Amino acid sequence: MKRIFLTMAIIVAVTTFVFGQSKDEQEIRKMFAANADALLKSDMNALPDYYADSFTFTAADGTVINKMQFLDFVKNRKRSGSFNFDDLSVRTFGNAAVVNFTRTSTTIDNDDSKINSKSRDTAMLVKTGGRWQYVAIQISKELADDQAAAEKQIGELMTNWGNALGRRDAAAVEKILPADLMIVSPDGKMVTSRAEYLEVVKSFPSDATVTGKSEKTIVSGDTAVQTGTYSVTPKAGGANTMNYKYTATFVRRGGRWMPIAFNGRAMQQK
């Protein structure tokens, strides 16, 4: 029986370069940072200056409130454990600007339990008297926890991959894997492309059962690394089950997680 080729992890280092920003963009970014700090502290002396008198706040459920109602909400809400604006995308149009951003916050309930919240939102600002102010903020629906969402999608991918491999379904495997996949087998042999791996699939034992179990998944932005175990059981009458440990690296492309590297080693057979 041919063994499954399992993947080698690659640590992907991503460096983000910040190019020159206009003076207005720099001012807006500083304003967002200061505003987040004021919201965290519920600083009612500083907060009113960030919002124009005509300010409107639209919640994820469509509720619209004005500046006074918004400030009352902030004043009377539960304690904040953290409050951040990240991933700002700033576009300026003279004395107006549109900013897309990610809001993450933690509020502390009366029993000291923590409630985490995250959304991708949009703000409109105007510059009046040399100062940028919000005129409108639109809150999106809560974003799912990235770790949980990634683990779920990667888990489904791995299950589908194993099932397709067990059927020797090269067409299904091709849809799951990227063209630049790299695989290293337990005996050190390397497969450097999906096309090469599909030839391996065609010679895989038919009607085998392929199962896997993840042990740990680490997600960092659009990259994830997972460790776990993998087993192959041939159809009745075949050889014994082969067990492996693996490390896999995934990247998220177009909102979809896919493996780019797989490395495995055989476990001691019982």
Side-chain angles (χ1 to χ4, degrees):
M1 180 189 77
K2 294 185 179 287
R3 297 180 178 178
I4 311 180
F5 289 101
L6 296 170
T7 60
M8 173 175 68
I10 297 174
I11 297 178
V12 180
V14 179
T15 304
T16 302
F17 295 94
V18 179
F19 295 93
Q21 300 169 351
S22 68
K23 181 180 178 181
D24 283 333
E25 181 173 347
Q26 291 176 16
E27 290 176 352
I28 290 170
R29 289 179 178 274
K30 289 179 181 178
M31 170 199 163
F32 266 75
N35 180 220
D37 184 64
L39 286 167
L40 174 63
K41 298 174 181 176
S42 295
D43 186 345
M44 303 313 298
N45 291 321
L47 281 171
D49 291 339
Y50 292 105
Y51 306 93
D53 290 340
S54 59
F55 171 75
T56 58
F57 178 92
T58 305
D61 63 0
T63 301
V64 180
I65 58 177
N66 60 29
K67 176 179 178 178
M68 188 64 67
Q69 292 169 321
F70 175 75
L71 293 175
D72 284 342
F73 166 76
V74 173
K75 181 179 180 180
N76 297 311
R77 68 180 177 175
K78 298 169 183 176
R79 291 179 293 149
S80 291
S82 65
F83 201 101
N84 295 287
F85 294 135
D86 300 302
D87 304 324
L88 272 67
S89 173
V90 181
R91 289 169 291 171
T92 57
F93 308 90
N95 288 328
V98 176
V99 182
N100 295 110
F101 59 97
T102 299
R103 174 196 56 82
T104 54
S105 63
T106 301
T107 55
I108 303 174
D109 214 336
N110 295 330
D111 61 358
D112 289 332
S113 61
K114 295 182 179 180
I115 303 172
N116 298 317
S117 177
K118 183 177 183 180
S119 61
R120 185 68 179 167
D121 308 327
T122 301
M124 295 185 64
L125 300 89
V126 294
K127 192 173 187 179
T128 305
R131 181 180 65 189
W132 287 98
Q133 290 183 309
Y134 299 103
V135 291
I137 293 178
Q138 168 73 58
I139 303 297
S140 71
K141 292 183 179 180
E142 293 288 313
L143 295 175
D145 179 77
D146 201 43
Q147 177 78 26
E151 288 186 12
K152 182 176 184 295
Q153 190 176 131
I154 289 172
E156 292 173 349
L157 180 155
M158 295 291 281
T159 297
N160 293 337
W161 185 1
N163 290 340
L165 184 61
R167 301 192 307 269
R168 288 199 302 193
D169 189 342
V173 172
E174 185 174 13
K175 293 179 180 179
I176 295 169
L177 305 179
D180 55 349
L181 172 72
M182 182 171 66
I183 295 178
V184 178
S185 68
D187 59 6
K189 293 181 180 179
M190 182 175 289
V191 175
T192 59
S193 70
R194 179 180 61 193
E196 188 178 349
Y197 178 68
L198 292 178
E199 294 303 314
V200 176
V201 173
K202 294 175 183 178
S203 60
F204 194 76
S206 61
D207 298 324
T209 300
V210 182
T211 58
K213 181 179 180 181
S214 65
E215 295 177 345
K216 186 174 183 179
T217 304
I218 299 174
V219 179
S220 178
D222 290 330
T223 304
V225 177
Q226 183 180 86
T227 59
T229 57
Y230 218 79
S231 300
V232 181
T233 304
K235 64 181 180 180
N240 294 330
T241 296
M242 299 296 296
N243 300 307
Y244 305 87
K245 291 186 72 67
Y246 73 87
T247 303
T249 300
F250 301 82
V251 294
R252 181 163 47 192
R253 296 172 178 169
R256 175 189 167 201
W257 286 99
M258 56 187 66
I260 58 169
F262 232 66
N263 175 271
R265 65 180 185 275
M267 298 171 62
Q268 185 174 359
Q269 306 302 315
K270 297 181 180 180

